[in-house]
Amino acid sequence: MPIQYDQKEQVFMLQTPKTSYVLGVYEGKYLLHLYYGKRIERYAAMQHRLPTHGINGFSATDVEESKYSTNVLPMEFPCYGSADYRSPAFHAEYEDGSAVTKLFYQGYHIESGKKPLCGLPATYAENELEAETLEITLKDAVTGLVVVLSYTVFNSFDAIAKSVRVQNGGDQTINIKSLLSSTSYLFDKDYEFVHLAGAWARERHIQKQPLQNSTILIDSKRVSSSHMHSPFMALARPYTTETQGDVYGCSLIYSGNFIARAETSELDTVRLSIGINPFGFGWCLNPGEEFQAPEAVLVYAANGFGEMSRTYHKLYRTRLCRGKFRDAERPVLINNWEATYFDFNEEKILDIAKSAKKLGMELLVLDDGWFGKRDSDNCSLGDWVTDRRKLPDGIDGLAKKVTALGMQFGLWFEPECISEDSDLYRAHPDWAIQIPGRQPNRSRYQLILDMGREDVRDYLYERMTAILDSANIEYVKWDMNRHISDVYSAVLPKERQGEASHRYMLGLYDLLERLVSRYPDLLLEGCSGGGGRFDLGMLYYSPQIWCSDDTDAVERLSVQYGTSFCYPISAVGSHVSAVPNHQTGRITPVETRGTVAMAGSFGYELDLNLLSDGEKEEVKEQIKTFKKYYNLTHEGEYYRLTNPMENRLYAAWEFVSQDQSEALVHGMQILAQPSGPSIHIPVRGLKADAMYEVNGELVRSGRALMHGGLNFPRQTGDFKAVEFYLKEVK
Ligand code: GLA
């Protein structure tokens, strides 16, 4: 039983294979977070978690009998307005203008399995035996507000999935201003705040900073998870490495405005919170209504960042991703974007498809520019009708010709956006997010459709299904090329405008759900100006996401390194592109570009006719290699062997099969060095006592390879690829 309740002590123990999460009901009223960390078998009295000073300095006490102020207690679901002055998980205003909520424990319920979250993406259990869920109910006696906290414990993952449901059980409208998905605690502040920061084409670079008596937060106010921050944070002991040290990971399954925060109190306890960003948020909850907050997933690892990442990878790859391509092998694709941009016609596309087929590629993706009269990025978004000037036989005609070559066919859409120069905008200007009487802010010349509107979603569903039904389309790239400003919805009354951003997300998820249900075999790839919406919300619908518009192999080392802290390798859309690279101007060998792109869902994005014969041969071999190692790279355990943010001389990473009988080490000599010292890369995850053949030759024990390391070849020239294949010899 992964969830146990000790009636006498009023303590809930949530047990994963290697971790425990413990909650207690203090004085029969307050739900406290007592422990999270390495698995413990018993948790007796909760007294030792209560601070020495019950009421320190200027704290207030909200209950006469209580020795403790809530300001010093590890409140599992802290509310604004009472004696707890730290940042709350919940803040609401009531009809009399007051904003105090006091939630007391009511009861609990444990059941097998895991229910879906209404309208929101979430992890799932495939059957009732895989997981157990605890629901704890809290209630505010004055207003009738009921809060249900939900905790799912998976039998085979060291992860806890948390979410919150709020029910208005009273008779007045409740104006919710903030509702976060998870609050948890560290009981001292000797930790570093680790997060993924970036920019367009430089996404998810790892950053670390020590905690002090202050608040560190990352967030998004862009109605998109964004290139700038990712809905993920980790708190790690200083000097934590890939293999050692305590790490607490916290991620949110949501694609909109989020906040992830570590707040250190005057008593040095740290409150960790994650959820929808309260900034600009509001929700009017009428009597009898419910609000479901997104799911947060917590992972504790005792053995460093690597262990945390591998838990996230496996959970999200197998119990967040869905559909045929969760498990089925993904096709090697060729995308025409960097080969042609908007300048193509049917002949050019077929030419690319023919060359791609000869080299072993399997799927032709037609990117932006096939609809309306889109010869540049300043028009036609919303007009999802084939441009017959470029494609005289339509999408169906092109798809038939591509299929006849023995290739699959895929298509780009940017459903959420609208150009002012479009028939759609001329017919429905009010469908675009903008404030009447104000000039809207444009980005890439475009506006955004209000996905919170049913009529907008119905239009998009009708247009997309008309095209998808008309041709054999096996892949869709779902792009979104700007962030949202001028947040407003023409269909919401004044008092509900704070709901617009979250309603946008709910609408987007609703449309995606309708499409994936109708086309369960369709491979969807998420995208947002590269990796601007590389998040777990989108991963629920699209098992791969374009990781970055920066395809330069050297820059990708850092992007893919940071991305791998939380997101599985199979999710990372990664392509070999042309040199000089279109984003950085750097020239790297095609072999190296291939090696880096293989740490992801692999493809090509360049004019194949510009490759030399030698490079074409190289590409053919690369595709064979990728397919040979597909199971290792997509289903194996991933190990980061070096940190490219710190080591600018060489990089290495490794995939190990689940049974540890095979491993693939890939790497790059970044910069060449004369008289450079020898480099030994200790590999990881092998069976210590087994013998492994390295590149079909040298046989060494797992222990020797893990301690002595592999000899990294020094070569002349920059950006040289390195590969070692290790196979157990029996
Ligand atoms: C975004 C994507 C690119 C490409 C273009 C098309 O920038 O990230 O891959 O699809 O849009 O406009």
Side-chain angles (χ1 to χ4, degrees):
M1 291 284 278
I3 301 175
Q4 293 145 26
Y5 177 56
D6 179 337
Q7 178 95 42
K8 184 167 149 273
E9 298 290 344
Q10 291 202 287
V11 163
F12 295 94
M13 292 273 289
L14 281 58
Q15 304 282 50
T16 77
K18 288 190 285 187
T19 73
S20 300
Y21 189 103
V22 186
L23 296 159
V25 184
Y26 175 60
E27 292 183 342
K29 292 183 179 128
Y30 298 110
L31 185 68
L32 303 187
H33 172 113
L34 297 180
Y35 174 85
Y36 184 34
K38 226 175 204 166
R39 182 169 167 134
I40 48 177
E41 294 314 317
R42 288 197 59 227
Y43 194 95
M46 71 179 78
Q47 287 308 324
H48 82 270
R49 269 305 185 223
L50 303 175
T52 329
H53 309 289
I55 305 165
N56 73 314
F58 263 56
S59 295
T61 326
D62 15 25
V63 179
E64 281 169 24
E65 324 85 73
S66 178
K67 292 210 303 287
Y68 292 97
S69 163
T70 49
N71 195 46
V72 298
L73 292 175
M75 303 295 290
E76 176 70 13
F77 190 71
C79 296
Y80 175 82
S82 62
D84 186 346
Y85 295 106
R86 293 164 292 178
S87 306
F90 185 77
H91 176 192
E93 227 173 59
Y94 301 95
E95 276 179 357
D96 61 2
S98 70
V100 176
T101 308
K102 271 190 194 177
L103 292 171
F104 289 161
Y105 175 77
Q106 293 294 298
Y108 76 97
H109 171 73
I110 297 174
E111 64 181 36
S112 318
K114 183 177 195 289
K115 287 197 198 105
L117 252 60
C118 183
L120 286 168
T123 55
Y124 57 89
E126 283 204 321
N127 61 59
E128 301 231 315
L129 302 175
E130 274 187 12
E132 203 169 50
T133 300
L134 163 71
E135 288 200 339
I136 297 181
T137 305
L138 312 173
K139 189 171 177 183
D140 180 42
V142 175
T143 60
L145 175 87
V146 174
V147 171
V148 182
L149 305 178
S150 168
Y151 302 83
T152 295
V153 181
F154 296 92
N155 289 338
S156 52
F157 301 107
D158 287 301
I160 309 271
K162 293 176 68 175
S163 64
V164 182
R165 209 164 68 235
V166 170
Q167 299 160 345
N168 185 348
D171 52 13
Q172 57 172 311
T173 297
I174 299 175
N175 184 3
I176 302 174
K177 291 167 163 293
S178 166
L179 172 50
L180 302 187
S181 299
S182 168
T183 304
S184 57
Y185 294 82
L186 302 169
F187 292 91
D188 70 75
K189 68 167 198 279
D190 193 18
Y191 287 88
E192 286 179 337
F193 184 90
V194 181
H195 63 109
L196 305 173
W200 170 76
R202 188 170 47 74
E203 295 89 341
R204 290 174 297 286
H205 281 208
I206 198 90
Q207 297 203 343
K208 297 177 187 168
Q209 53 186 302
L211 295 183
Q212 299 192 330
N213 292 84
S214 60
T215 298
I216 301 180
L217 70 84
I218 52 161
D219 75 347
S220 169
K221 304 179 191 78
R222 297 164 178 263
V223 198
S224 194
S225 49
S226 88
H227 310 79
M228 293 72 198
H229 292 293
S230 190
F232 160 80
M233 64 177 164
L235 278 296
R237 288 289 187 196
Y239 311 113
T240 292
T241 65
E242 284 296 317
T243 53
Q244 289 175 357
D246 288 318
V247 190
Y248 292 86
C250 188
S251 59
L252 187 71
I253 303 178
Y254 191 58
S255 314
N257 289 342
F258 74 91
I259 188 169
R261 183 171 61 203
E263 180 179 17
T264 308
S265 76
E266 67 269 36
L267 298 183
D268 285 0
T269 54
V270 185
R271 174 177 283 175
L272 305 178
S273 336
I274 198 162
I276 294 180
N277 197 343
F279 183 93
F281 173 80
W283 198 275
C284 292
L285 199 68
N286 287 325
E289 285 181 353
E290 261 194 14
F291 181 88
Q292 173 68 61
E295 180 167 290
V297 178
L298 273 50
V299 166
Y300 163 77
N303 301 305
F305 293 116
E307 186 176 82
M308 172 198 70
S309 299
R310 285 187 291 280
T311 301
Y312 274 130
H313 291 178
K314 210 165 183 176
L315 173 70
Y316 292 144
R317 182 169 58 75
T318 63
R319 292 295 178 269
L320 178 68
C321 291
R322 301 176 296 166
K324 174 178 164 189
F325 286 98
R326 182 189 78 172
D327 303 321
E329 186 170 322
R330 320 249 177 96
V332 174
L333 67 82
I334 171 81
N335 177 304
N336 74 303
W337 179 242
E338 288 198 7
T340 66
Y341 293 103
F342 294 103
D343 181 19
F344 63 82
N345 54 28
E346 190 187 86
E347 199 188 327
K348 267 197 196 176
I349 298 300
L350 286 173
D351 206 36
I352 293 176
K354 277 179 211 152
S355 314
K357 171 71 187 165
K358 277 193 209 137
L359 300 182
M361 296 167 204
E362 299 162 305
L363 165 73
L364 180 283
V365 177
L366 179 60
D367 210 280
D368 194 356
W370 58 268
F371 51 91
K373 50 181 177 61
R374 190 155 163 97
D375 294 329
S376 85
D377 57 8
N378 62 7
C379 71
S380 300
L381 288 170
D383 294 348
W384 301 108
V385 176
T386 313
D387 181 353
R388 298 264 169 180
R389 294 172 307 156
K390 291 182 186 170
L391 305 173
D393 291 339
I395 285 294
D396 50 330
L398 175 63
K400 272 193 199 119
K401 290 173 202 174
V402 170
T403 313
L405 294 171
M407 299 275 287
Q408 297 167 28
F409 181 72
L411 197 58
W412 180 96
F413 283 93
E414 190 175 351
E416 298 156 75
C417 289
I418 180 166
S419 310
E420 283 155 285
D421 181 5
S422 68
D423 292 341
L424 184 67
Y425 188 80
R426 283 181 279 275
H428 298 285
D430 59 315
W431 283 11
I433 296 179
Q434 55 184 324
I435 296 165
R438 264 188 200 282
Q439 191 68 258
N441 287 289
R442 298 176 186 95
S443 174
R444 212 196 190 202
Y445 309 101
Q446 63 203 52
L447 302 179
I448 303 217
L449 288 166
D450 182 355
M451 297 297 288
R453 291 177 69 140
E454 210 175 339
D455 46 3
V456 167
R457 298 198 299 274
D458 286 346
Y459 167 79
L460 292 173
Y461 183 74
E462 185 282 316
R463 278 292 74 221
M464 290 187 77
T465 53
I467 292 159
L468 295 175
D469 288 346
S470 74
N472 192 11
I473 299 172
E474 300 188 55
Y475 161 108
V476 162
K477 177 170 170 186
W478 184 295
D479 209 341
M480 203 273 198
N481 276 313
R482 63 161 291 183
H483 292 144
I484 303 179
S485 60
D486 308 278
V487 176
Y488 183 82
S489 174
V491 291
L492 291 176
K494 175 171 140 260
E495 65 280 10
R496 286 190 176 269
Q497 287 300 327
E499 299 176 15
S501 311
H502 184 59
R503 286 191 183 276
Y504 181 96
M505 296 318 307
L506 293 176
L508 169 64
Y509 292 146
D510 171 63
L511 178 59
L512 283 162
E513 190 63 42
R514 283 165 79 184
L515 288 166
V516 298
S517 314
R518 180 163 168 153
Y519 306 103
D521 291 348
L522 183 75
L523 173 56
L524 212 60
E525 173 154 352
C527 179
S528 176
R533 210 164 50 185
F534 197 110
D535 61 57
L536 301 164
M538 292 309 286
L539 208 57
Y540 185 65
Y541 306 95
S542 57
Q544 62 192 56
I545 304 177
W546 184 224
C547 186
S548 176
D549 274 342
D550 193 341
T551 46
D552 171 63
V554 178
E555 284 296 293
R556 274 282 182 137
L557 292 176
S558 305
V559 175
Q560 294 180 189
Y561 173 85
T563 302
S564 76
F565 270 69
C566 180
Y567 305 100
I569 304 308
S570 58
V572 175
S574 199
H575 298 172
V576 174
S577 63
V579 289
N581 179 270
H582 292 196
Q583 288 74 32
T584 60
R586 190 177 282 122
I587 296 178
T588 52
V590 70
E591 184 192 2
T592 307
R593 282 173 268 154
T595 300
V596 173
M598 279 183 210
S601 281
F602 189 62
Y604 291 80
E605 183 159 344
L606 72 170
D607 186 345
L608 297 169
N609 295 322
L610 299 181
L611 293 177
S612 67
D613 289 347
E615 285 173 325
K616 282 184 184 156
E617 283 312 306
E618 186 72 59
V619 166
K620 267 191 200 163
E621 286 311 306
Q622 225 161 55
I623 294 173
K624 284 186 200 147
T625 308
F626 172 72
K627 295 187 89 62
K628 184 165 87 189
Y629 295 138
Y630 185 89
N631 287 344
L632 262 174
T633 56
H634 277 60
E635 284 160 26
E637 300 278 3
Y638 184 70
Y639 293 84
R640 292 176 290 264
L641 302 182
T642 65
N643 177 352
M645 305 285 293
E646 287 167 1
N647 185 343
R648 302 302 287 168
L649 292 176
Y650 59 91
W653 56 97
E654 182 193 11
F655 309 90
V656 180
S657 63
Q658 294 295 336
D659 67 0
Q660 299 170 291
S661 69
E662 278 183 288
L664 178 68
V665 175
H666 269 164
M668 187 199 295
Q669 168 174 291
I670 306 174
L671 295 178
Q673 229 188 358
S675 313
S678 14
I679 302 163
H680 302 284
I681 307 264
V683 291
R684 303 198 181 115
L686 304 180
K687 290 187 246 178
D689 294 324
M691 300 303 288
Y692 291 86
E693 204 179 64
V694 181
N695 286 348
E697 293 172 354
L698 182 77
V699 175
R700 287 167 70 187
S701 72
R703 187 171 277 113
L705 287 161
M706 290 192 287
H707 294 287
L710 283 167
N711 223 341
F712 198 86
R714 304 300 300 245
Q715 306 167 64
T716 46
D718 296 336
F719 319 128
K720 292 290 171 71
V722 171
E723 178 175 303
F724 294 100
Y725 172 65
L726 281 57
K727 174 119 187 93
E728 184 182 358
V729 279
K730 298 200 175 150

